[in-house]
Amino acid sequence: MKTKHGVSGQSRLERRWGLLLAMPAIVGFIVFTLVPMAASAVISLTDWTIGSAASFVGVDNYLQMFTRDPLFLKSLGVTTYYTLGAVPLTLIVAFAIAMLLNAKVRGLGVYRTIYYLPTLVPSVANAVLWLWIFNPDFGLLNSTLRQLGMPTSNWVFSEAAVVPSLILMSTWGFGNIMVIFLAGLQGVPRHLYEAVAIDGGGAWRQFRHVTLPMMTPVLFYNLVTSIIGTFQVFNQAYIMTQGGPNNASTFYVYYLYTTAFTKSEMGYASALAWALFVLVMVITVVLFRSSRRWVYYEMGAAR
Amino acid sequence: MTTDPRSLPPGLSRRTFLGAGALTAAGLGLFGCGGQSTTKSGGSANLQFMYWGSANEKAAIEQMIQQFQKSHSDIKVQPVHVPGDYETKVNTLVASGNLPDVAYMTAPTAYRLADQGKIANIYPHIEKYAQLSGRKPQNFFWYGDKKVAGTPAASEISLLWYNKDLFTDPSTVPPATADKAWAWDRLVEVATSLTLDQNGKRPSDSGFKPDRIRQFGISAPLTTQWTWYPLIRSNGGDVTDETGTKYTLNSPECVKVFQDLQDLIYKHKVAPSPAQLGGGADGSNAPTTTVQLQTKRVAMAIDGQWTLLDMGESDLKYGIGVLPSYQEPITQEAGSCRVMSATTKHPDQAIELYAYSVDGANSDLFKKGLWMPVETKYYSDDAAIDSWIKNDVHPPEYRTAAVDYRLNNSVRDFTQVLKNVPAIQEVLTPAIEQIATGKSPAKTVLDSLQAKVEPLLQGRYPIPNSI
């Protein structure tokens, strides 16, 4: 509503109301995100243990991570391993199911609901449920494998299998990503498919040359948010494995949490939080850089 | 997008609507910040009492507080029940300077807060209250000479539980007196005879299928010190030497016990692995011992005395025995520390509440089986003993298997006397998980642990010979 001669009354009114209505979110962001972040940045430069006086130690906490703390690298490794497995797998499963649910079949609404349902299960209930699925003696997985005469596993109870097991479990939560894919799929213009059909292209060519390129922005969005979310994986370690066995599932945020609240070392825990923040930021920047090469926007200027 | 005034209820203008919204938000914010401080109003003292525990414990604590308020009309007590994430809550309250007047505390946190001056030294009050002075020195948390961080309200020991229905042969029933405690080999023998696969075969039979075990002879979870610590002490071993500065978990005595416990699972196949037990690395999501005995998933189980509450409420025919013994019969004793804030506004009233809350006569949780009292009289004086064990929950053998056992054969949990326990546990727990998952022999794990634990050892907290 901008006019050449400044801002109209209507526009001023809208701006004022807009700001006012956005205020709860802005205040929330400042009070619950920005201020704590600033505080933790300061705390990360101290040796503060809760209850004791803090003294300034400079970047010593950050040096400690790389020189005197084997659990830092261990937890980072475990989390990276999990992310590299869980993110692609979840994206592929969510995309595939979104494609299926985009087809015109009877009872589509029912299917969509069923596939989305697992996402609604509270994560604690979900974790306990999967503990039983993973139970080596009676669990669904081992019982099925035994019926088929295949080798069984100790799943989350074994050092080698715990992260792959949790990756497998992570696909269970594909619902939200699937819904976003589904929305994206419905935005793909019909006429492009018709064009491929007229040129004699089959389903594969429609997918390869229309669906996939048109979906890259959605794919990119889901990739970035999934990576950020997955690096902060916590519940599975907290509820199911307590980081074990032998620290094989000590995810980064779980380690950070125990440092802060079991060992009460708030200074070091804040430094850990910042290290993760920087790492995730670097990964995100790299992804955005790479996106110029593979993400296609229909309106070129809209990126 | 602008708000359409027509969508609002009649009589509510946009301005009042928004105003109401802002007020609600502000109110919520204030609500979140308030309510933690103790205030004085009209001459009566308001105190806060913070605790953890199940629904049973919650009901009992609330009842205890009601009684206390009846006899102390000038004191109002607000119970604060924190069922989970207790350490997180404590840390947050300490950081904001709002520690409740009286609170439950784990031993490592109690010692830390005492060293930091956040909780009061209760030593000067011991003489005044019989329920405090009637305790042994090892029932207090000493952080220096004449410095006491607190004392437990209740005590616990480690016991051998069993399902009576499975012990038809009297010669196999776990002994209920310390001097008749089984040798380790006898335990393995009985456990073997009680382990059955899906086809009813025992580990000693041919054709036994170790991956299809229906009933295990014994559950002895390695992931808790309630299982392994009394046994290594029984064999003359310990986590550290007497000064608490030298690591000794790789002594032959300790290695033997850990290897025996690992062999129960992977060699003799009479005990469930952590995986078979279910419920994560520390077993916290596994079925309770009561359920495991009731469903005959296990015939015997090593678990704490506290599980008696659960057993008493089930229709399981449970029996209690003493732990197996190596060189001398030993069980582990521990109780969480009850602390008093150093900054309470009403120290006189707070110590009244403190002393009342640790008194063995002021809670029905002793009779219900969750707790064992701490005062010495409850173990030496017949009338006092009967006051808490003469009921249906406590079976007849409880007198020797628990009361006498605790009095004569208990050693204190090392996590309650050693310094720097959270850091030590951080390296100890994963190592013991390696033994529990059968990944490496006990000796390899315990030897390699030395270099990790030794730098963390900072000695023990002192326990004087007399108060």
Side-chain angles (χ1 to χ4, degrees):
Chain A
M1 284 270 176
K2 247 183 186 167
T3 63
K4 264 189 180 165
H5 307 286
V7 184
S8 74
Q10 168 83 23
S11 180
R12 233 179 301 138
L13 190 74
E14 279 189 2
R15 189 193 292 168
R16 206 183 317 136
W17 277 106
L19 208 58
L20 193 68
L21 291 169
M23 222 44 197
I26 295 170
V27 169
F29 178 72
I30 291 172
V31 173
F32 295 113
T33 305
L34 220 51
V35 171
M37 271 182 83
S40 85
V42 175
I43 293 168
S44 78
L45 303 174
T46 70
D47 65 351
W48 185 35
T49 299
I50 292 175
S52 302
S55 54
F56 186 77
V57 293
V59 293
D60 191 59
N61 283 333
Y62 295 92
L63 291 177
Q64 183 180 343
M65 280 177 215
F66 295 99
T67 54
R68 297 184 302 260
D69 184 5
L71 266 182
F72 166 73
L73 288 176
K74 170 87 186 170
S75 64
L76 199 58
V78 168
T79 312
T80 310
Y81 177 19
Y82 178 76
T83 306
L84 289 178
V87 172
L89 195 65
T90 312
L91 287 182
I92 290 169
V93 170
F95 196 90
I97 293 180
M99 298 261 294
L100 291 175
L101 294 182
N102 198 36
K104 286 194 170 57
V105 289
R106 276 175 58 185
L108 193 59
V110 176
Y111 290 122
R112 283 182 182 170
T113 311
I114 288 173
Y115 279 106
Y116 189 71
L117 269 181
T119 313
L120 299 176
V121 177
S123 65
V124 175
N126 196 20
V128 174
L129 177 80
W130 275 86
L131 268 180
W132 286 106
I133 293 178
F134 286 135
N135 184 294
D137 280 7
F138 310 107
L140 185 69
L141 285 172
N142 272 6
S143 304
T144 313
L145 289 173
R146 229 180 258 128
Q147 294 281 324
L148 298 172
M150 285 158 80
T152 56
S153 167
N154 266 343
W155 305 108
V156 290
F157 304 98
S158 114
E159 223 178 299
V162 58
V163 172
S165 304
L166 294 177
I167 289 170
L168 187 72
M169 176 185 154
S170 73
T171 54
W172 195 246
F174 65 80
N176 283 329
I177 298 176
M178 178 198 76
V179 167
I180 299 171
F181 275 134
L182 198 54
L185 284 171
Q186 292 180 347
V188 179
R190 294 273 114 216
H191 65 84
L192 293 179
Y193 289 117
E194 285 161 14
V196 176
I198 289 165
D199 287 346
W204 166 250
R205 294 215 168 270
Q206 290 190 348
F207 173 76
R208 175 66 192 81
H209 296 293
V210 178
T211 312
L212 207 53
M214 294 303 284
M215 286 297 285
T216 47
V218 182
L219 206 56
F220 177 65
Y221 170 81
N222 277 337
L223 179 68
V224 171
T225 51
S226 296
I227 286 180
I228 293 173
T230 311
F231 259 101
Q232 298 175 52
V233 56
F234 173 77
N235 284 350
Q236 289 86 329
Y238 182 66
I239 299 161
M240 297 173 69
T241 65
Q242 290 76 43
N246 192 20
N247 288 328
S249 64
T250 302
F251 293 124
Y252 194 92
V253 175
Y254 179 71
Y255 175 54
L256 191 163
Y257 175 84
T258 52
T259 304
F261 292 110
T262 308
K263 291 166 77 191
S264 311
E265 290 170 6
M266 222 24 117
Y268 189 57
S270 298
L272 285 173
W274 274 89
L276 180 67
F277 177 70
V278 170
L279 178 76
V280 170
M281 189 130 95
V282 167
I283 291 172
T284 310
V285 167
V286 169
L287 281 175
F288 267 91
R289 285 275 161 82
S290 79
S291 76
R292 287 174 200 162
R293 258 175 284 141
W294 63 273
V295 178
Y296 168 77
Y297 289 96
E298 203 177 1
M299 298 189 302
R303 62 177 62 185
Chain B
M1 206 174 81
T2 54
T3 315
D4 181 358
R6 282 167 301 182
S7 65
L8 294 171
L12 191 61
S13 77
R14 187 157 65 179
R15 196 167 289 265
T16 46
F17 170 73
L18 288 169
L23 273 176
T24 314
L28 280 172
L30 287 174
F31 182 75
C33 299
Q36 283 302 337
S37 56
T38 51
T39 51
K40 194 160 188 158
S41 59
S44 77
N46 286 337
L47 300 177
Q48 278 192 327
F49 183 93
M50 185 167 80
Y51 63 104
W52 62 68
S54 61
N56 272 311
E57 192 158 351
K58 181 168 186 278
I61 292 290
E62 278 168 2
Q63 196 202 337
M64 184 268 291
I65 285 172
Q66 291 280 321
Q67 285 170 18
F68 174 80
Q69 291 183 137
K70 259 181 221 159
S71 54
H72 300 75
S73 54
D74 59 329
I75 308 177
K76 281 253 177 309
V77 184
Q78 182 201 354
V80 181
H81 182 228
V82 183
D85 283 331
Y86 199 83
E87 296 294 301
T88 309
K89 175 97 176 177
V90 167
N91 276 315
T92 316
L93 291 173
V94 170
S96 61
N98 282 318
L99 200 63
D101 305 90
V102 181
Y104 282 28
M105 209 58 74
T106 59
T109 310
Y111 283 126
R112 190 189 100 221
L113 294 179
D115 285 334
Q116 293 169 337
K118 300 285 173 190
I119 56 175
N121 175 13
I122 65 149
Y123 183 80
H125 306 286
I126 291 176
E127 218 180 285
K128 187 181 163 196
Y129 297 95
Q131 57 270 59
L132 299 179
S133 58
R135 298 172 177 227
K136 291 183 172 174
Q138 66 262 33
N139 295 133
F140 293 95
F141 292 80
W142 301 85
Y143 63 105
D145 183 33
K146 295 191 183 352
K147 284 181 167 176
V148 170
T151 181
S155 178
E156 299 292 353
I157 57 172
S158 197
L159 294 166
L160 183 64
W161 303 84
Y162 59 94
N163 181 343
K164 276 189 171 159
D165 286 345
L166 294 171
F167 289 81
T168 41
D169 176 0
S171 71
T172 60
V173 172
T177 51
D179 57 349
K180 294 202 179 79
W182 278 341
W184 187 260
D185 291 343
R186 179 66 184 147
L187 175 86
V188 175
E189 243 173 63
V190 175
T192 306
S193 74
L194 288 162
T195 301
L196 304 167
D197 73 3
Q198 302 281 24
N199 302 320
K201 291 201 155 106
R202 297 188 168 80
S204 46
D205 300 338
S206 64
F208 171 76
K209 285 188 181 155
D211 59 334
R212 310 304 312 275
I213 296 174
R214 184 184 81 211
Q215 173 181 302
F216 287 99
I218 182 167
S219 158
L222 255 166
T223 41
T224 164
Q225 78 266 23
W226 288 93
T227 303
W228 58 261
Y229 188 65
L231 295 175
I232 64 168
R233 290 297 298 269
S234 169
N235 202 25
D238 205 338
V239 177
T240 66
D241 66 351
E242 275 179 14
T243 62
T245 52
K246 193 178 171 306
Y247 171 87
T248 57
L249 258 185
N250 58 347
S251 68
E253 292 82 9
C254 296
V255 169
K256 161 107 176 89
V257 170
F258 277 103
Q259 193 55 52
D260 279 350
L261 284 165
Q262 191 187 45
D263 286 349
L264 273 188
I265 306 169
Y266 300 99
K267 187 176 158 197
H268 305 300
K269 321 257 187 213
V270 299
S273 66
Q276 288 164 322
L277 201 59
D282 71 350
S284 58
N285 295 310
T288 62
T289 296
T290 309
V291 169
Q292 302 210 39
L293 288 174
Q294 204 167 18
T295 56
K296 299 184 183 166
R297 175 73 174 145
V298 302
M300 298 180 279
I302 295 178
D303 200 354
Q305 191 284 150
W306 58 82
T307 199
L308 182 59
L309 172 85
D310 209 18
M311 301 250 176
E313 290 182 348
S314 73
D315 54 7
L316 168 73
K317 277 194 236 149
Y318 51 92
I320 301 175
V322 296
L323 300 179
S325 163
Y326 284 86
Q327 294 177 26
E328 52 172 328
I330 293 282
T331 187
Q332 162 180 306
E333 184 275 327
S336 66
C337 188
R338 187 142 311 166
V339 304
M340 187 174 110
S341 167
T343 53
T344 173
K345 285 181 186 148
H346 313 284
D348 298 340
Q349 288 90 339
I351 190 69
E352 279 292 320
L353 173 63
Y354 183 96
Y356 189 92
S357 77
V358 299
D359 190 326
N362 290 341
S363 173
D364 63 353
L365 290 175
F366 299 105
K367 286 187 193 119
K368 281 185 168 172
L370 185 68
W371 292 351
M372 300 176 87
V374 185
E375 294 99 304
T376 316
K377 67 173 178 183
Y378 290 108
Y379 297 86
S380 52
D381 175 69
D382 278 330
I385 295 173
D386 287 351
S387 75
W388 64 285
I389 72 163
K390 271 276 176 286
N391 49 54
D392 292 344
V393 174
H394 295 79
E397 69 268 24
Y398 190 89
R399 174 75 193 251
T400 54
V403 178
D404 297 344
Y405 196 35
R406 179 184 178 277
L407 182 69
N408 304 318
N409 302 90
S410 62
V411 294
R412 198 152 167 214
D413 180 353
F414 74 98
T415 65
Q416 306 216 318
V417 287
L418 213 53
K419 293 181 176 174
N420 204 22
V421 161
I424 294 168
Q425 294 277 46
E426 192 177 82
V427 293
L428 187 59
T429 306
I432 290 176
E433 280 169 7
Q434 279 179 286
I435 301 177
T437 53
K439 208 177 167 245
S440 321
K443 182 157 172 49
T444 316
V445 174
L446 296 172
D447 276 342
S448 68
L449 192 57
Q450 177 154 22
K452 289 181 187 168
V453 171
E454 206 122 89
L456 302 172
L457 294 176
Q458 297 172 357
R460 282 166 183 264
Y461 291 101
I463 299 177
N465 293 323
S466 66
I467 301 171

